[in-house]
Amino acid sequence: MVHPSNSEAWKHFNSVHPYFSVESRNVHLGLCTDEFNPFGSFVAPYSCWPVILTVYNLPLGMCMRSEFMFLSMLILGPSSSGQNLNVCL
């Protein structure tokens, strides 16, 4: 696993916004989500989307631990939100 600070997107963000990258107290956040069926079967048309915030200013060993990931939202519904997930966010 590679820390996101080594990625091209991070370097591009720092070059576009140099005032943000200079200040070490600014927080870089990652938004993660994935759909799953809480009932464990595909027969029930119910979905659950946990939305998790991850702080990327921490070292790799810390930012991928569960105690540093924050469940910010839980999107529940009778069916998959699909392409309309950005409306919920």
Side-chain angles (χ1 to χ4, degrees), residues 31-35 48-52 73 75 85 89:
L31 185 71
C32 314
T33 186
D34 194 15
E35 177 187 17
C48 181
W49 288 80
V51 179
I52 299 169
M73 184 183 340
I75 303 170
L85 183 63
L89 295 176

Side-chain angles (χ1 to χ4, degrees), residues 14-76:
N14 286 342
S15 67
V16 172
H17 306 285
Y19 60 90
F20 187 85
S21 61
V22 171
E23 180 60 53
S24 62
R25 294 177 290 181
N26 288 336
V27 179
H28 289 83
L29 296 174
L31 185 71
C32 314
T33 186
D34 194 15
E35 177 187 17
F36 71 94
N37 188 327
F39 302 113
S41 71
F42 294 106
V43 177
Y46 196 82
S47 68
C48 181
W49 288 80
V51 179
I52 299 169
L53 281 174
T54 306
V55 180
Y56 285 142
N57 290 64
L58 301 171
L60 178 63
M62 293 176 68
C63 74
M64 294 300 155
R65 284 195 206 151
S66 61
E67 58 263 20
F68 297 109
M69 293 183 183
F70 305 101
L71 180 65
S72 60
M73 184 183 340
L74 199 57
I75 303 170
L76 304 172

Side-chain angles (χ1 to χ4, degrees), residues 49 80-87:
W49 288 80
S80 173
S81 59
Q83 298 293 336
N84 295 326
L85 183 63
N86 59 351
V87 174

